[in-house]
Amino acid sequence: MILRSMNKFMAPYKPRGKCCEIYHAAKRRLINHDIYLQVTPDSHVILCRIFSSFPSAYEPRKVEKDRYQWWKSHEHFLSEGNDKEAFRLMLPPPNITGTLHLGHALVCTVQDVLIRWRAMLRQPAYWIPGIDHAGIATQVVVEKKLWQEKKLSRHEIGREKFIDAVYEWKKDKEVIIYHQLEKLGVAVDWKKMFFTLDPERSVAVTEAFIRLYESGKIYRSNSLVNWSTVIQSAISDIEVDLKDVNGSTYLDIPGYQTPVEFGVLVTFACKIHGMDEEILVATTRLETMTGDVAIAVNPKDERYTHLHGRMVVHPIRNCLVPIICDDFVDPNFGTGAVKITPAHNKVDYLVGKSHGLEMIQAIDDEGKMTKACCQLYGMKRFDARKKIMEELEQKGLLRRKEDHSMQIPFCSRSGDVVELLLKPQWFLSCDDMAKLAASLVREEKLKIYPPSFQKIWLNWLENSRDWCLSRQLWWGHQIPMYKCHKKGVPDSLLWIAAHNASEAKQKASQKLGVSGDLLECHQDEDVLDTWFSSALLPFSSLGWPNNLGKLEGNCPLSAMVTGNDILFFWVARMVMLGHELTGKLPFEKIILTGIICDAEGRKMSKSLGNVVHPEDIINGASLEKLNEQVEQSFQSGYLSSAEVKKSIKGQKALFPKGIPECGVDALRFTLCSHNISSQFINFNVNECLTNRHFCNKVWQAYKYVLLCHQKFLPSMPFMFSDEKISVDGLGLMDQWILSRFYHALSDIVRGLENVDLHLCTAAIKNFIYYEFCDVYLETTKRVLKYAEGKGDLTESTSKAIEATLRTLRLCLSSSIQCFAPFMPFIAEELYHQISMLKSTEHEVPESIFLTGFPSIEKWKHLQNEQLEENVKLMMEIILALRRLKVENGIKMKDYSRCHVQLSSIDEVKNIEPLVKEIQSLANCNDVSLGTDEGNFSEGRDSIALGSCVVHLLLPDATIQPKSFLNENKMEKYHKLNKQLQKMMKTMESPSYKTQVPATIQKTHLEKVTKLQDKIKRLKAT
């Protein structure tokens, strides 16, 4: 009997015994669901969902609501123990400077797909999350916030209070980042969460520094570094943005009321001391010429042979500087004479050292001229540039000023022009470590994906420079180096590496031979480059150096997935330091993702207004909300007022109607649909909307299958097992769709193994959207109509219905398993709907991710290549008939007759069993096959498909174009028809809808419509 109820069980039913236990367990579980019960003759209870309550359309907000918290509460993401077979990943820690961007979303999604897939393969898997303190970026943002809110600098409130303010910032931001990570559905083990400034990481950083210092790899040197005059700190190369200018260009520079001119080459003369001659030199940075200490010429340049060893008069300092000879000078470039400014140029620095030249610094830490610049002392550098130009002109030494292409280094954090300054800093010698890291890749002990980056990796490491570790900041790991000297004897200074001041005094006491109370020890105020602590994370996140047992069982990581822009700043350094300190590789494989750009290929930038936040795609955002976010960035000090105007203008152009709500799954699927190994990834929000529609297509397919299930065989369970699938009793189209699923599954598994996720998404979409929904589902309607009283229900028909339903459910449940790693929310929701249909006497896994992943071996026997070829030809015939109907003005719903002329009797036999599908999908009530043209008195229109010709028989009322059109019209007709067929063939390609951008698809559709209209008008005349 079947008992039905709405939101409750009907009172008359009183189950007994085990059935009673099942009944009440089900009642507790489904108290808020519309259900019906089927009690089988052997007293088993089957729970079925009443279909009227199932949502008519996919709504991501409802599907995603509370699901992540359900995963967390069931501890699906936990992983304990040291399992060498486990699949291990570490999330590149997001900075606490703000919210996650699409680059984070891409890396998170790729790692999450891999983790969930491995877990479904029943392989132990864990994923370590963390947050980075982001030294410079965070300090700059908090300083701006402090100034905007209180008009105070960090120096005015002091180091301790400033650090407290940064921790308050961190406290607020980490909650936002946690929420965003959860929103993306990441299956991280939250119990392993770390922060790069927490106590455990601080211990690791201090220990690593001391070991490297004591082994002689860390040293202190006065050397050229990238210097930000606004932040007043050394910065890394990754924080330097190079801007190309071609000729005179005026740019806004912080601290200057008017724009500063760049892209100009100034040539001036230097008088030869004791001679009535001059030598010409040129520069694009005239302000640095006050630091010139020599003029270099090529020793083989005959123009200057007589000047070797002579002196010139410096135009500003009025002192004598030598003319030196060096082979690095190209005699064919410019004047063949080069000014040498070793304190502000890397090449000049090396030349200066090799010739023992004086190092004169012309610009100080604040971007002002030093005392060495005489009358220019204290003047801002770009103001001094104008003054120098005027003075050269007054002295008659200015020769010319001309446009010149150049690159200007800007600090990405402050927007200021970066200076190269000589500063005493701590450096890490990288030569030996770099050579080892290069050999590991060369010997394939460490693999890089995509392989094209191997050459870049080797080139960079073989030409690596020593790493400047010091940063003149307050936020970060304070360098564990102590300046120690005897009291009252500063010349006895020693640098001591120690864990604390007490240990430093003890070490200094032994070296200086005095007791600790006679020593003064002060820790270096500088902090370490953020990348240093980040480089230790693969093992510091596992408890190194204290918990070596845990490290032994969980290192190396299976892979490191991250953006290709930090291959050297982070990935290479993880390899170098990891192997140096632990003797182990930090990970077995490097997987690099591309840089996310907008749909036009432009790098995302707040000032361009093309930045798209993941949450805006997930939840949707109006144009007004996007503008509000820009205003908030201005209030927080991220953007200037000029950038705000540009950003708002850019947003209006890109998102005039805002961003539609797409949901998490659509965002994840879109990110994976791109080739992640590309150098750059052009991201279009419209693709996310298209994939939301795809989710709805999946939803509707599921709804259809459930409706069939409810109507015909509600007791049949869905299959989520590894048992071999039988083809007994299956129809040809059932066998075909299972064979196509095998191919899709093969592509998906291969794509996952090689991290070619775009191949996976293409296979998923092609199978579900086109093969399952557009073809197979349509053929099932012909079979299932018999169960609705539209045909005779014979025993064979009943078996066909059961086979069809079994195939529908098998394909759908297996498809859900395949796309679960990519779209976990909709997959989990559909699984829970399906699981209600299973007999409660069997234990049901509580999550789709506990059901396993389809096995290729269990599906391989379902491959039927001959049947696939037959159905492929069948589909070509159907599409040809549909096209002929359109061209001849016959409505698609109107029945028609056709004849298919095949090349051989064997081909006829292959297609004959599929005639009913042709009738159904092409809406033809009479389909004949043969090797001849057919003997029909009616007119016909035909399309040739290789060796096959499809003839559509035209009714009398239809104008027959081939007999009707005169010669001119006939020629035009054939031309239009040829264009139409070519376009239709392109659009009917299996990969067309997954590979071709939506905008181009729209253009193609419009072109097809225009061609069809032209053909119709031609026939009507």
Side-chain angles (χ1 to χ4, degrees):
M1 62 179 172
I2 294 179
L3 305 174
R4 300 179 182 271
S5 70
M6 299 300 291
N7 292 322
K8 63 180 180 179
F9 292 95
M10 292 186 68
Y13 177 61
K14 295 181 180 180
R16 300 278 189 270
K18 183 179 179 182
C19 190
C20 181
E21 294 174 18
I22 296 170
Y23 175 90
H24 289 293
K27 183 175 179 179
R28 286 192 299 273
R29 180 180 171 200
L30 300 174
I31 195 69
N32 294 319
H33 293 279
D34 297 334
I35 64 166
Y36 70 82
L37 292 177
Q38 179 179 351
V39 183
T40 61
D42 56 354
S43 298
H44 289 154
V45 180
I46 308 299
L47 301 178
C48 297
R49 186 80 176 268
I50 291 215
F51 203 73
S52 61
S53 66
F54 188 71
S56 59
Y58 166 70
E59 296 180 65
R61 199 167 298 210
K62 290 183 179 178
V63 168
E64 294 157 13
K65 185 182 179 184
D66 301 328
R67 177 57 67 194
Y68 193 85
Q69 295 308 317
W70 182 85
W71 281 326
K72 283 181 72 175
S73 66
H74 286 71
E75 298 189 334
H76 286 164
F77 307 149
L78 297 186
S79 51
E80 298 300 334
N82 297 355
D83 192 333
K84 291 186 178 180
E85 299 303 315
F87 184 76
R88 302 173 293 275
L89 292 178
M90 185 185 74
L91 179 72
N95 295 344
I96 60 164
T97 49
T99 56
L100 302 186
H101 52 64
L102 282 175
H104 292 121
L106 173 64
V107 171
C108 286
T109 300
V110 172
Q111 289 199 346
D112 193 56
V113 167
L114 297 178
I115 281 287
R116 289 179 182 272
W117 171 55
R118 295 286 180 167
M120 291 183 76
L121 291 176
R122 297 184 172 88
Q123 178 182 359
Y126 70 77
W127 186 10
I128 307 169
I131 297 180
D132 197 291
H133 66 278
I136 290 179
T138 303
Q139 178 159 317
V140 168
V141 170
V142 176
E143 280 193 85
K144 285 182 178 179
K145 185 173 183 287
L146 186 65
W147 179 257
Q148 228 162 19
E149 292 178 355
K150 300 180 181 179
K151 301 300 179 190
L152 292 173
S153 70
R154 62 184 166 107
H155 297 286
E156 289 174 306
I157 66 170
R159 187 164 189 154
E160 188 176 337
K161 286 187 177 180
F162 180 75
I163 296 300
D164 290 341
V166 182
Y167 269 109
E168 281 299 315
W169 167 276
K170 177 251 180 185
K171 184 179 177 181
D172 293 337
K173 289 297 178 181
E174 70 180 353
V175 172
I176 296 172
I177 291 172
Y178 292 160
H179 175 71
Q180 288 182 304
L181 289 173
E182 290 181 349
K183 191 76 174 173
L184 288 169
V186 296
V188 296
D189 186 346
W190 290 105
K191 289 187 177 181
K192 292 183 170 65
M193 186 74 187
F194 65 80
F195 175 53
T196 53
L197 269 180
D198 63 29
E200 282 188 71
R201 258 43 66 185
S202 294
V203 168
V205 167
T206 301
E207 182 66 24
F209 189 97
I210 292 172
R211 288 190 189 185
L212 292 167
Y213 177 77
E214 291 180 344
S215 68
K217 291 196 175 295
I218 290 180
Y219 63 93
R220 190 169 178 81
S221 174
N222 195 40
S223 188
L224 280 179
V225 295
N226 296 318
W227 186 266
S228 170
T229 60
V230 172
I231 302 172
Q232 292 190 41
S233 171
I235 61 175
S236 67
D237 288 344
I238 198 173
E239 287 151 334
V240 178
D241 294 333
L242 297 175
K243 182 178 179 63
D244 292 309
V245 296
N246 297 309
S248 178
T249 306
Y250 286 85
L251 301 173
D252 291 321
I253 304 297
Y256 291 84
Q257 297 296 321
T258 57
V260 177
E261 186 182 27
F262 293 89
V264 173
L265 183 71
V266 177
T267 302
F268 61 92
C270 294
K271 296 293 184 181
I272 308 297
H273 179 63
M275 295 178 67
D276 189 20
E277 283 191 46
E278 64 183 26
I279 189 167
L280 299 181
V281 291
T283 181
T284 56
R285 292 293 309 273
L286 196 58
E287 61 276 14
T288 64
M289 62 91 69
T290 52
D292 293 350
V293 296
I295 292 176
V297 296
N298 192 293
K300 297 177 184 177
D301 192 338
E302 295 179 358
R303 292 173 296 174
Y304 302 118
T305 304
H306 66 293
L307 298 179
H308 292 179
R310 305 290 300 195
M311 307 289 280
V312 300
V313 180
H314 193 285
I316 301 299
R317 300 205 314 268
N318 293 318
C319 62
L320 298 180
V321 298
I323 295 175
I324 63 172
C325 296
D326 199 294
D327 291 329
F328 94 93
V329 180
D330 182 357
N332 299 314
F333 183 78
T335 65
V338 180
K339 57 192 281 298
I340 304 300
T341 319
H344 296 282
N345 182 283
K346 291 179 181 178
V347 174
D348 293 3
Y349 176 73
L350 297 174
V351 173
K353 285 186 73 174
S354 66
H355 288 270
L357 298 174
E358 184 182 4
M359 305 281 176
I360 296 178
Q361 188 163 316
I363 299 170
D364 68 11
D365 295 359
E366 297 179 2
K368 295 179 181 179
M369 307 308 287
T370 64
K371 289 182 180 180
C373 303
C374 305
Q375 67 272 26
L376 301 174
Y377 173 54
M379 190 178 292
K380 291 196 291 187
R381 54 189 163 154
F382 297 124
D383 290 340
R385 178 191 291 183
K386 295 179 184 177
K387 188 69 176 175
I388 293 169
M389 184 86 75
E390 292 170 3
E391 195 162 336
L392 289 172
E393 196 165 12
Q394 288 172 6
K395 292 180 177 180
L397 298 175
L398 184 64
R399 293 293 174 264
R400 57 182 173 271
K401 176 184 172 185
E402 55 193 329
D403 285 355
H404 189 75
S405 298
M406 63 181 294
Q407 281 189 327
I408 308 166
F410 281 92
C411 174
S412 63
R413 307 300 179 186
S414 66
D416 192 20
V417 175
V418 173
E419 292 290 346
L420 285 173
L421 297 186
L422 275 173
K423 305 293 294 182
Q425 305 283 293
W426 294 104
F427 289 85
L428 175 63
S429 176
C430 296
D431 278 353
D432 294 340
M433 292 187 292
K435 287 176 183 175
L436 178 62
S439 67
L440 289 169
V441 169
R442 198 179 287 111
E443 295 167 11
E444 296 188 352
K445 293 178 181 177
L446 174 64
K447 295 181 180 179
I448 300 178
Y449 175 87
S452 57
F453 277 93
Q454 290 182 7
K455 187 176 180 181
I456 300 170
W457 172 275
L458 296 173
N459 182 61
W460 188 84
L461 289 172
E462 286 164 1
N463 296 279
S464 70
R465 300 190 304 271
D466 288 355
W467 177 8
C468 176
L469 300 176
S470 313
R471 296 294 180 267
Q472 289 63 49
L473 305 171
W474 288 354
W475 176 245
H477 292 279
Q478 196 168 347
I479 294 177
M481 294 298 297
Y482 294 80
K483 288 188 285 187
C484 301
H485 62 83
K486 298 176 185 177
K487 288 182 179 179
V489 189
D491 291 344
S492 61
L493 175 66
L494 279 179
W495 281 102
I496 301 294
H499 295 86
N500 50 55
S502 177
E503 183 185 331
K505 275 192 175 184
Q506 184 181 354
K507 287 183 176 181
S509 176
Q510 293 173 355
K511 289 189 177 184
L512 293 174
V514 296
S515 62
D517 56 348
L518 297 176
L519 291 174
E520 286 188 13
C521 286
H522 302 283
Q523 187 173 1
D524 191 336
E525 291 190 353
D526 289 353
V527 300
L528 283 164
D529 181 9
T530 302
W531 295 108
F532 185 82
S533 55
S534 298
L536 307 179
L537 288 175
F539 47 98
S540 69
S541 63
L542 296 171
W544 182 91
N546 297 327
N547 195 341
L548 295 180
K550 186 178 180 183
L551 181 69
E552 184 65 29
N554 292 293
C555 190
L557 298 172
S558 302
M560 174 51 63
V561 184
T562 190
N564 62 45
D565 56 331
I566 54 174
L567 175 61
F568 308 119
F569 300 103
W570 189 39
V571 183
R573 287 166 176 170
M574 283 190 282
V575 174
M576 289 192 291
L577 289 185
H579 206 282
E580 178 69 22
L581 294 167
T582 69
K584 291 176 175 286
L585 272 172
F587 29 77
E588 298 167 346
K589 183 189 290 186
I590 300 166
I591 300 169
L592 300 172
T593 65
I595 308 303
I596 300 280
C597 299
D598 67 11
E600 298 175 21
R602 300 176 302 172
K603 190 174 180 179
M604 290 195 175
S605 162
K606 288 187 175 73
S607 61
L608 289 176
N610 63 348
V611 172
V612 182
H613 297 291
E615 60 268 29
D616 290 337
I617 297 172
I618 294 167
N619 303 320
S622 64
L623 181 59
E624 291 73 21
K625 183 181 177 182
L626 295 175
N627 291 165
E628 285 173 12
Q629 292 174 359
V630 173
E631 293 293 343
Q632 288 170 4
S633 292
F634 170 69
Q635 296 297 331
S636 300
Y638 285 116
L639 294 177
S640 66
S641 56
E643 288 174 323
V644 167
K645 291 179 182 178
K646 286 170 64 178
S647 183
I648 289 176
K649 183 179 179 181
Q651 286 181 339
K652 188 175 181 180
L654 286 169
F655 314 113
K657 297 181 181 179
I659 298 173
E661 178 189 352
C662 299
V664 179
D665 288 325
L667 171 60
R668 289 168 57 110
F669 199 80
T670 302
L671 290 168
C672 293
S673 296
H674 292 272
N675 185 347
I676 64 167
S677 64
S678 300
Q679 184 79 18
F680 299 99
I681 296 171
N682 294 354
F683 183 87
N684 192 332
V685 173
N686 291 330
E687 292 179 29
C688 288
L689 186 59
T690 299
N691 284 323
R692 176 189 164 150
H693 296 328
F694 171 61
C695 289
N696 188 59
K697 187 82 169 180
V698 173
W699 191 267
Q700 298 303 330
Y702 165 80
K703 184 177 178 180
Y704 170 79
V705 175
L706 239 65
L707 179 61
C708 296
H709 180 282
Q710 176 187 337
K711 286 184 177 181
F712 308 130
L713 287 171
S715 61
M716 181 182 287
F718 272 69
M719 291 180 65
F720 284 99
S721 71
D722 290 333
E723 296 175 9
K724 193 171 182 179
I725 301 154
S726 172
V727 295
D728 293 345
L730 296 184
L732 286 178
M733 291 308 292
D734 300 329
Q735 294 177 47
W736 170 78
I737 195 63
L738 295 179
S739 180
R740 290 309 302 156
F741 180 79
Y742 165 74
H743 283 290
L745 178 61
S746 300
D747 290 342
I748 293 165
V749 172
R750 185 164 53 252
L752 285 165
E753 288 174 343
N754 298 324
V755 203
D756 288 326
L757 302 187
H758 62 295
L759 301 182
C760 303
T761 56
I764 290 167
K765 205 167 188 179
N766 184 66
F767 175 77
I768 296 177
Y769 209 122
Y770 308 112
E771 295 174 339
F772 183 71
C773 292
D774 288 357
V775 179
Y776 180 69
L777 281 189
E778 294 301 316
T779 66
T780 65
K781 293 175 182 178
R782 179 182 60 81
V783 176
L784 297 176
K785 72 178 183 180
Y786 291 104
E788 296 176 339
K790 297 180 181 178
D792 296 330
L793 191 60
T794 63
E795 183 179 350
S796 62
T797 304
S798 296
K799 288 183 178 179
I801 291 170
E802 183 178 345
T804 298
L805 288 173
R806 183 155 57 95
T807 305
L808 280 170
R809 285 175 286 202
L810 178 58
C811 284
L812 190 60
S813 59
S814 299
S815 297
I816 292 172
Q817 287 175 306
C818 282
F819 69 65
F822 299 88
M823 300 188 290
F825 290 94
I826 189 173
E828 191 73 88
E829 177 65 20
L830 294 180
Y831 171 75
H832 279 267
Q833 298 287 347
I834 289 174
S835 66
M836 294 178 189
L837 305 174
K838 300 182 76 171
S839 172
T840 54
E841 69 173 328
H842 302 296
E843 186 177 346
V844 180
E846 63 183 1
S847 170
I848 181 71
F849 299 101
L850 301 178
T851 63
F853 198 83
S855 166
I856 291 179
E857 290 303 314
K858 299 292 169 54
W859 282 83
K860 193 172 184 179
H861 70 287
L862 298 172
Q863 182 183 13
N864 189 331
E865 291 184 1
Q866 182 58 58
L867 178 58
E868 287 189 41
E869 285 297 317
N870 296 345
V871 174
K872 182 181 179 181
L873 179 56
M874 177 199 84
M875 289 307 302
E876 289 176 354
I877 293 168
I878 291 167
L879 291 171
L881 288 170
R882 289 177 177 178
R883 193 184 311 162
L884 287 170
K885 278 190 171 186
V886 171
E887 290 175 4
N888 289 279
I890 302 172
K891 294 180 180 178
M892 201 59 66
K893 66 180 180 179
D894 291 346
Y895 286 107
S896 54
R897 300 171 60 204
C898 75
H899 176 72
V900 182
Q901 182 182 351
L902 297 162
S903 61
S904 66
I905 295 296
D906 288 340
E907 212 170 47
V908 172
K909 290 180 180 179
N910 289 337
I911 299 300
E912 200 165 24
L914 299 169
V915 165
K916 289 184 178 179
E917 273 66 39
I918 297 174
Q919 290 176 330
S920 175
L921 296 178
N923 219 25
C924 290
N925 57 342
D926 187 356
V927 177
S928 61
L929 307 175
T931 56
D932 58 356
E933 291 185 1
N935 185 20
F936 297 96
S937 58
E938 301 97 326
R940 69 179 72 186
D941 197 0
S942 308
I943 291 179
L945 304 171
S947 60
C948 169
V949 181
V950 179
H951 305 283
L952 179 70
L953 308 180
L954 302 175
D956 295 335
T958 302
I959 299 173
Q960 300 171 27
K962 292 183 180 177
S963 60
F964 155 78
L965 297 176
N966 60 36
E967 190 174 336
N968 290 336
K969 288 184 178 179
M970 194 70 180
E971 184 179 348
K972 192 171 183 180
Y973 171 84
H974 281 305
K975 186 177 179 180
L976 291 170
N977 198 42
K978 187 177 180 181
Q979 292 176 12
L980 180 64
Q981 288 189 41
K982 184 179 179 181
M983 188 60 65
M984 294 290 284
K985 187 176 181 180
T986 300
M987 295 171 68
E988 288 161 7
S989 168
S991 61
Y992 176 82
K993 291 190 178 181
T994 57
Q995 300 292 332
V996 179
T999 51
I1000 296 177
Q1001 289 187 39
K1002 185 179 178 182
T1003 303
H1004 286 175
L1005 189 61
E1006 290 171 353
K1007 190 173 181 179
V1008 166
T1009 303
K1010 287 179 182 178
L1011 286 169
Q1012 290 171 342
D1013 288 342
K1014 286 180 180 179
I1015 291 172
K1016 285 180 183 178
R1017 285 197 299 270
L1018 188 66
K1019 292 176 182 178
T1021 56

